[in-house]
Amino acid sequence: MNREQIRQHMIAEEGLKLTLYKCPADKWTIGVGHNLESRGISEAIAMAILDEDIDTCERELKWHFPHWADYPDEVQEVLIDLCFNMGITKLMQFKQTIEYINEGLATGNYTKAAAELMNSSYARQLPNRARRNHDKLFNA
């Protein structure tokens, strides 16, 4: 069996769509005719998507935070979580939190950033997640 030949045949027959769509049978589908309603995705695919999403967040954060590599791991984890959850555009609106994170880079103290994070609509909408991120910043 020539897998590449079969792949090309399936792409020609089904098309390749990288966003969710309804197929002619009215089923939610993605990729090359992958019926999400009947098949879902495997854990391996879910982890591959997660890894790609984390890589995207890290790229965006490196662009917006020139000293990215200098932040402690806990701060990087919080920023990735925030970027993943709300997107880079929304994250960059957290101007005071970002200012305190940058201040923390100079002082080694991220408690102001932790407190400011809790003073947001994000913290009111996702209190448990926000508290976990607060604690990481507070202990960084």
Side-chain angles (χ1 to χ4, degrees), residues 32-124:
V32 182
H34 184 83
N35 180 333
L36 289 170
E37 291 183 42
S38 297
R39 292 189 175 168
I41 60 172
S42 67
E43 184 175 340
I45 295 301
M47 292 302 106
I49 292 169
L50 175 59
D51 286 342
E52 185 174 313
D53 289 344
I54 291 168
D55 290 346
T56 298
C57 289
E58 186 176 15
R59 252 189 328 277
E60 292 171 342
L61 289 163
K62 283 179 179 178
W63 174 259
H64 288 279
F65 292 83
H67 300 288
W68 172 256
D70 299 326
Y71 291 118
D73 287 348
E74 297 85 356
V75 174
Q76 289 182 357
E77 289 172 16
V78 168
L79 288 170
I80 286 176
D81 183 68
L82 293 170
C83 183
F84 184 93
N85 180 248
M86 65 183 73
I88 193 67
T89 302
K90 181 73 173 170
L91 172 58
M92 295 312 295
Q93 294 174 8
F94 282 55
K95 298 204 182 295
Q96 194 63 58
T97 301
I98 292 168
E99 184 178 318
Y100 288 144
I101 284 173
N102 288 327
E103 182 181 301
L105 185 59
T107 65
N109 184 334
Y110 295 90
T111 57
K112 287 183 187 176
E116 184 62 27
L117 185 62
M118 295 306 292
N119 184 28
S120 66
S121 59
Y122 157 78
R124 288 185 290 283

Side-chain angles (χ1 to χ4, degrees), residues 1-11:
M1 176 172 81
N2 182 326
R3 181 168 295 269
E4 185 56 30
Q5 187 173 331
I6 292 171
R7 287 178 82 212
Q8 292 308 314
H9 170 78
M10 297 310 296
I11 292 169

Side-chain angles (χ1 to χ4, degrees), residues 121-140:
S121 59
Y122 157 78
R124 288 185 290 283
Q125 292 169 355
L126 300 170
N128 295 331
R129 189 174 191 166
R131 175 58 61 188
R132 288 188 294 272
N133 281 328
H134 165 277
D135 293 349
K136 284 182 183 179
L137 286 173
F138 191 84
N139 294 312

